[in-house]
Amino acid sequence: KGEDLSLDFGKIKKFFKKEGKKIEKIEKKAPEELSINIKGAKDFIIKNKTFFLILIPLFFAIFLRAYPAYLPVTDDWAEKTVEDHYKSQIVQEINQQYPNLPDKNKKDLVEQQFKQILKQNKDQIELQIKETSKGFKSRFQDDQGQTYLLAIDPYMFYMYAKNRVDHGHNGHILKDGVPWDTHFTAPLGKPASKNLLILMETYLYKIVNFINSNFSVMAAAFYLPLLISALAIIPAFLVGRKVGGNVGAVFSSFLIAVHPAALTRTAAGFSDTDAYNLFFPLLAVWLIIKAFEAKDNKRYLYSALTGLTMGIYSFGWGGWWYMFNVLLAGTGIYILVLIFNLIRKKENLLKDIQLKNAIYSLLLFFVSSGLFVTLMKGFNVFMNFITEVFTFLVIKEAAKASLWPNVYTTVAELNQASISTIVNTMGGGLMFALAIFGIALLFIKKRSINVLYSSLIAVWFIVAVYASTKGIRFTLILTPAYALGIGAAIGIGYNFISNWISNNLNIDKKISKIVIIALFALLLIAPFNSSRATARNEIPSMNDAWYNSLTAIKMNSSEDAIINSWWDFGHWFKAIGDRAVTFDGGSQNTPMAHWIGKALLTDNEDEAIGILRMLDCGSNNAFKELNKEIDDMIKSVDILYEIIPLDKYSARGVLSKYVSSDKIDSILELTHCNPPENYFITSEDMVAKAGVWAHFGSWDFTRAKIWREVKDMKHDEGVSYLKELGILDAESMYFEVKALTSEKDANQWISPWPGYAGGLTSCRASDNNTLLCGGVQINLETYETKISTEQGIVVPYSIVYQSNNQLEEVRFENNQFPYSVVLIEKNGNYQIIVSSPPLAKSMFTRLFFMDGYGTEHFNLFTKERQVTGGMIYVWKVAW
């Protein structure tokens, strides 16, 4: 009845009650008797408002993170592809009809004709776009239509989960009853990793697969981060309500749901430990707050549950200790404030119940955390809450104490960030200031428990900001503290402003509250739009070209075969190729970075093969065994470089000069064994990464030692030390070392960063047997090379060209350009690539750009082009 529309639940209940009476047909009821009880529905919503309020951020958390499942960005690609196809045809016709028409007029004419075609063939073009998009999607999905996992590290957990499903344990085999990972650091292997994520992927697969047999382990891995992130919304809301009421709770949890810093690493398909860094810290903070707030013995239950959370967190992520320290420091500050206030009021500390309960709660949290972390990971892991802090401080140190290079200096997600970069990443100065303001507001509020909220969030915030300066990836752990700070500011501000307006401006409180919430909601538009754009553009780095290349290795190689390449995609090689790797994302910061870097950089094929053979025989154990005898790190490396290009007999003769005869055989078995099958991969991404692998491949161990030893020495001591090392101009080098003001400068001083300048450039023949390759001019008779620049004509360092199955190099004495030009000839067509001189004749240049020109030990196994256009070459080594 118009405004009386309501839903009477009582009538519905009676309708379904038989009680011996014939059930009336609903259509026989008079229309006016059917009504909706708005008041009842309203009461129901109010009674369950927490549930309904949590649904708001929960919906957005799932909605945004589900984007990679159906890859909407391919629709944009398809639309652009089809549009370009039609426009290119139009351009050809216009060029034929109106060859002298100005470009602007041609462009306008193209747009006009395309709009006409679009209008006349709308259905056909839409179908073409749909089919083209479908084709793009298929390149990022397996045969079942499941999108590949987004990043690289998730494949490690996927591999272990699949092992668990296939074998009943995490390993590839059982070794003396221990699940053993045969694919890690070939040929050594290690005990298979144990991790919460592996268990969760396994059980999610088993549960869903029981209902839907088409549900794969990869699908379980794909959707798991979405589920964990969605669960994180619940403790986010509960903590947000503590600091800012329901309004603050919605804003805090909504920001955690949509903030780009969190979403980029917790979207569906990003099956790494990052989602833990939302859920477990928020859960732990909520539980510790409940423990300190409790008025009865429940405080001990909540304290123990916080410790249990820390134990589970440690089983999920090695960096659990940061949150443990945050909770210790935050609650410790709260206790100190209580003590200060009691002293100020001259009250007896020993008789204060609130203080005693707080101390008991903190002690029980500490003890229970120690117990549960020890049970799940071991006592030594629990004690890491002290030692790991100091390890984290030197994560970017240029050279390690062992003198091997520190690969972490080049890991992108560990790139250091300035405060301004962090502020911008989090949403800009206004939002960042609002978060700090919210934390400050909590501290100055009258209730003492607000000091607990403030100290916990403040410590969390400060620790996370500092961590982010050490590695940009750690902005994710800043997101919850940042969101809670903003939630506190908005929640407190909402109550204050609405009360002030109601009391001073005589405006209805309900209206003022709606207006205030609407105004505050404007702050959420920017992060939501940014996250939506980010989520829409998420695509897997894995694609069919990689999948097919690695599957080909798996199907055509022996089980003990080894894959060599740079470490980045190592987890793919293990999970999809199902073969052991030299190193990967779990072992990148090892000496293998130098050895593989050198194998790629060297222009001596025998040396490259010798390195690969040594690694496949025993990883870095040859160095370890040799250095036990030599006890000189630099000399041991030099000896290995002397023997690895040699045959076994010649290598024995060299070793006899340095080690006892009873040790020679054991060392040779690690350098000159009969190695297993080997597959060496060179791919497009490695061109841009050349500066990294070539940097480590050309690592100067002597300079690394000088840097570590001399940087903290005084003048006389430093100069004396350098003279002992045989440095001729010790004085000059001492001041050279002292001038290095950062680890980054030291890294550059120890070893250069060779690289490729741009990509391949096609050449065309000109008069007088000359090639024109962009701005480069090459005489094919004399190989005189000139480069046109804005400053005029310059001469490069050298030119490298192919001749009689070898690479020849001509160096120019009058060079003004510190790069080499590499001339590549294929089937009579010429191209050039410009590179740093050390790369010009490197094995990578020959294998990737020249199809293995002049090599004897590398046979092309597969060649695949990715959807992005990049090439993947797999080479089978002919020992």
Side-chain angles (χ1 to χ4, degrees):
K1 293 184 179 180
E3 66 273 20
D4 295 329
L5 196 65
S6 62
L7 181 61
D8 192 333
F9 288 98
K11 291 183 179 180
I12 293 176
K13 185 177 179 181
K14 289 178 183 178
F15 176 82
F16 286 102
K17 278 189 176 181
K18 295 184 179 180
E19 296 178 359
K21 297 181 181 180
K22 184 178 180 180
I23 300 177
E24 299 180 61
K25 291 185 178 180
I26 191 167
E27 53 266 31
K28 290 186 177 182
K29 286 181 175 288
E32 63 272 12
E33 292 182 31
L34 185 64
S35 59
I36 299 174
N37 188 344
I38 289 179
K39 186 178 184 303
K42 180 181 177 181
D43 291 343
F44 177 77
I45 292 172
I46 292 173
K47 185 177 180 181
N48 299 279
K49 64 182 178 182
T50 298
F51 171 77
F52 285 103
L53 289 175
I54 289 177
L55 282 182
I56 298 171
L58 189 63
F59 167 79
F60 286 101
I62 295 173
F63 170 72
L64 291 173
R65 283 166 176 79
Y67 267 48
Y70 51 94
L71 300 170
V73 71
T74 59
D75 298 335
D76 300 336
W77 297 352
E79 185 176 350
K80 181 72 165 56
T81 301
V82 172
E83 181 180 323
D84 288 346
H85 170 72
Y86 280 100
K87 285 184 176 180
S88 65
Q89 291 182 333
I90 296 170
V91 168
Q92 291 177 16
E93 293 175 3
I94 291 174
N95 285 337
Q96 290 175 357
Q97 296 177 23
Y98 312 104
N100 299 319
L101 194 67
D103 288 343
K104 185 181 184 307
N105 297 68
K106 286 182 182 179
K107 187 176 180 180
D108 293 340
L109 199 55
V110 169
E111 291 298 330
Q112 291 174 16
Q113 291 190 22
F114 176 71
K115 288 179 181 178
Q116 188 66 26
I117 292 173
L118 189 61
K119 184 178 180 181
Q120 294 172 351
N121 304 277
K122 184 179 179 182
D123 292 342
Q124 177 187 340
I125 291 175
E126 286 181 353
L127 181 61
Q128 286 179 324
I129 291 173
K130 183 178 179 181
E131 290 301 312
T132 304
S133 178
K134 187 177 178 181
F136 281 136
K137 291 183 199 295
S138 69
R139 302 287 294 274
F140 296 101
Q141 296 172 332
D142 64 18
D143 294 339
Q144 296 179 328
Q146 172 61 54
T147 303
Y148 296 128
L149 303 181
L150 296 187
I152 302 166
D153 289 353
Y155 281 87
M156 179 187 69
F157 302 105
Y158 162 72
M159 178 191 73
Y160 284 127
K162 197 164 188 314
N163 282 348
R164 194 172 185 84
V165 169
D166 293 342
H167 309 145
H169 56 80
N170 292 7
H172 299 95
I173 60 171
L174 287 174
K175 185 175 180 179
D176 299 327
V178 177
W180 195 260
D181 178 359
T182 62
H183 292 2
F184 185 87
T185 315
L188 308 178
K190 67 163 189 172
S193 295
K194 299 176 182 178
N195 188 278
L196 180 63
L197 198 62
I198 300 166
L199 292 177
M200 295 178 76
E201 287 181 7
T202 304
Y203 286 111
L204 178 61
Y205 161 77
K206 289 183 176 180
I207 292 169
V208 180
N209 185 261
F210 181 77
I211 303 167
N212 176 12
S213 59
N214 292 323
F215 191 76
S216 63
V217 179
M218 184 172 286
F222 185 87
Y223 288 105
L224 187 59
L226 183 151
L227 297 177
I228 298 173
S229 301
L231 286 173
I233 298 302
I234 299 172
F237 182 92
L238 296 175
V239 177
R241 187 163 60 179
K242 293 286 185 184
V243 301
N246 282 330
V247 172
V250 171
F251 276 80
S252 293
S253 52
F254 186 89
L255 272 173
I256 290 169
V258 308
H259 200 285
L263 184 137
T264 52
R265 300 187 66 88
T266 58
F270 205 104
S271 309
D272 207 336
T273 56
D274 299 271
Y276 293 160
N277 294 324
L278 295 180
F279 177 72
F280 286 110
L282 286 164
L283 178 62
V285 168
W286 180 70
L287 287 170
I288 202 72
I289 287 174
K290 292 289 290 183
F292 276 69
E293 283 183 336
K295 303 297 182 183
D296 51 25
N297 289 335
K298 286 183 180 178
R299 70 175 67 88
Y300 304 123
L301 173 63
Y302 284 120
S303 295
L305 288 174
T306 311
L308 175 61
T309 301
M310 286 293 103
I312 299 173
Y313 193 20
S314 72
F315 187 49
W317 188 49
W320 67 276
W321 50 267
Y322 101 89
M323 200 62 208
F324 178 73
N325 287 326
V326 165
L327 296 180
L328 283 180
T331 52
I333 291 171
Y334 170 64
I335 290 172
L336 289 176
V337 171
L338 289 180
I339 293 172
F340 174 79
N341 287 334
L342 290 171
I343 293 174
R344 183 170 56 85
K345 295 177 182 178
K346 298 181 180 180
E347 295 185 14
N348 192 328
L349 298 179
L350 298 177
K351 292 183 179 181
D352 188 83
I353 301 299
Q354 185 181 9
L355 177 60
K356 285 198 293 185
N357 289 340
I359 293 173
Y360 291 153
S361 296
L362 177 58
L363 289 174
L364 182 56
F365 158 64
F366 184 88
V367 172
S368 60
S369 294
L371 174 63
F372 288 118
V373 172
T374 299
L375 287 173
M376 295 188 185
K377 294 295 291 185
F379 182 70
N380 61 318
V381 173
F382 174 66
M383 294 309 295
N384 282 350
F385 84 91
I386 299 172
T387 58
E388 286 296 317
V389 174
F390 300 101
T391 302
F392 182 78
L393 295 177
V394 296
I395 195 170
K396 287 285 198 175
E397 195 172 35
K400 294 182 284 188
S402 63
L403 303 187
W404 292 104
N406 182 4
V407 178
Y408 289 151
T409 60
T410 61
V411 177
E413 63 186 27
L414 295 178
N415 286 343
Q416 295 184 352
S418 64
I419 295 296
S420 61
T421 300
I422 296 168
V423 170
N424 291 331
T425 301
M426 297 309 296
L430 174 62
M431 296 291 279
F432 203 80
L434 190 63
I436 295 172
F437 180 65
I439 296 170
L441 280 178
L442 284 171
F443 189 79
I444 63 176
K445 286 193 74 176
K446 292 182 179 179
R447 289 197 314 153
S448 64
I449 198 65
N450 283 307
V451 175
L452 174 65
Y453 306 155
S454 179
S455 59
L456 283 169
I457 300 173
V459 172
W460 191 354
F461 191 90
I462 293 168
V463 166
V465 167
Y466 177 76
S468 299
T469 65
K470 295 295 183 181
I472 193 65
R473 69 161 292 183
F474 296 114
T475 51
L476 180 137
I477 68 173
L478 173 58
T479 303
Y482 165 86
L484 290 171
I486 290 176
I490 289 176
I492 295 169
Y494 161 79
N495 287 324
F496 176 81
I497 296 171
S498 60
N499 288 332
W500 186 88
I501 290 175
S502 178
N503 295 333
N504 293 278
L505 301 181
N506 200 26
I507 296 175
D508 185 271
K509 201 167 189 177
K510 291 182 180 178
I511 296 175
S512 65
K513 286 183 175 181
I514 292 172
V515 171
I516 295 166
I517 290 175
L519 291 174
F520 278 135
L522 296 175
L523 296 172
L524 302 179
I525 294 176
F528 173 75
N529 287 339
S530 178
S531 282
R532 188 174 184 184
T534 299
R536 183 176 176 81
N537 286 283
E538 284 283 8
I539 59 169
S541 46
M542 168 69 72
N543 55 58
D544 279 353
W546 271 111
Y547 196 90
N548 294 339
S549 298
L550 297 174
T551 301
I553 294 175
K554 177 181 178 179
M555 301 302 294
N556 296 282
S557 65
S558 57
E559 290 190 0
D560 66 345
I562 295 172
I563 301 175
N564 302 127
S565 189
W566 194 238
W567 66 267
D568 297 57
F569 299 150
H571 293 315
W572 290 358
F573 304 161
K574 296 186 303 181
I576 307 302
D578 195 19
R579 294 296 178 264
V581 299
T582 304
F583 67 150
D584 54 38
S587 56
Q588 77 269 50
N589 198 24
T590 58
M592 274 67 79
H594 169 70
W595 295 120
I596 291 293
K598 185 66 172 181
L600 291 163
L601 179 65
T602 183
D603 61 2
N604 183 337
E605 186 180 7
D606 289 337
E607 183 174 60
I609 289 296
I611 291 171
L612 298 182
R613 181 180 57 210
M614 177 185 72
L615 294 175
D616 288 3
C617 289
S619 188
N620 193 49
N621 283 348
F623 165 80
K624 292 179 180 178
E625 289 299 311
L626 181 58
N627 202 43
K628 285 180 184 177
E629 296 290 301
I630 303 297
D631 195 24
D632 184 328
M633 188 272 177
I634 298 174
K635 189 175 181 180
S636 294
V637 171
D638 289 341
I639 293 171
L640 286 175
Y641 273 117
E642 187 177 355
I643 67 172
I644 55 179
L646 306 177
D647 59 67
K648 195 170 185 177
Y649 177 81
S650 301
R652 179 183 295 276
V654 173
L655 281 174
S656 64
K657 302 175 186 177
Y658 302 104
V659 299
S660 56
S661 57
D662 60 326
K663 294 292 183 180
I664 292 178
D665 285 337
S666 62
I667 294 171
L668 286 176
E669 189 58 31
L670 295 169
T671 58
H672 289 74
C673 70
N674 291 320
E677 284 183 284
N678 181 279
Y679 294 84
F680 194 71
I681 299 177
T682 54
S683 53
E684 191 83 33
D685 60 286
M686 294 171 69
V687 177
K689 297 169 185 171
V692 174
W693 52 256
H695 171 72
F696 294 128
S698 56
W699 190 252
D700 189 323
F701 293 95
T702 300
R703 284 199 165 206
K705 183 175 183 177
I706 290 171
W707 160 249
R708 286 197 60 90
E709 299 296 332
V710 175
K711 63 179 179 177
D712 296 323
M713 288 182 177
K714 292 183 179 180
H715 178 269
D716 292 346
E717 182 187 8
V719 171
S720 176
Y721 177 81
L722 290 170
K723 287 179 179 179
E724 290 176 8
L725 288 180
I727 305 299
L728 296 178
D729 194 352
E731 182 89 13
S732 176
M733 181 163 282
Y734 173 81
F735 287 111
E736 197 175 327
V737 171
K738 284 295 185 178
L740 303 172
T741 58
S742 68
E743 296 292 336
K744 184 178 180 181
D745 292 338
N747 228 332
Q748 176 71 46
W749 183 78
I750 294 169
S751 177
W753 299 83
Y756 295 96
L760 288 168
T761 301
S762 297
C763 303
R764 62 182 177 84
S766 181
D767 296 334
N768 303 320
N769 205 20
T770 299
L771 288 178
L772 295 178
C773 315
V776 179
Q777 180 179 306
I778 303 170
N779 186 308
L780 287 178
E781 290 183 356
T782 64
Y783 290 100
E784 180 183 0
T785 304
K786 298 178 181 179
I787 302 175
S788 298
T789 69
E790 293 180 358
Q791 289 74 36
I793 302 296
V794 297
V795 176
Y797 174 82
S798 71
I799 182 170
V800 170
Y801 60 94
Q802 299 156 303
S803 177
N804 298 321
N805 214 31
Q806 293 182 346
L807 293 187
E808 302 291 344
E809 182 176 21
V810 176
R811 296 183 181 179
F812 305 108
E813 293 182 1
N814 60 333
N815 69 83
Q816 306 102 345
F817 186 65
Y819 287 88
S820 294
V821 174
V822 182
L823 180 62
I824 304 164
E825 188 270 328
K826 294 181 183 179
N827 302 319
N829 297 314
Y830 288 93
Q831 292 177 301
I832 64 165
I833 184 79
V834 178
S835 76
S836 299
L839 289 169
K841 297 172 68 176
S842 68
M843 293 306 302
F844 180 82
T845 296
R846 294 165 73 180
L847 293 174
F848 185 78
F849 292 112
M850 298 182 179
D851 293 341
Y853 181 84
T855 59
E856 298 178 2
H857 297 281
F858 294 91
N859 297 329
L860 186 61
F861 178 70
T862 63
K863 177 181 178 180
E864 292 275 353
R865 184 176 294 278
Q866 304 178 65
V867 65
T868 55
M871 296 301 301
I872 303 167
Y873 297 91
V874 179
W875 305 90
K876 186 173 182 179
V877 173
W879 293 114

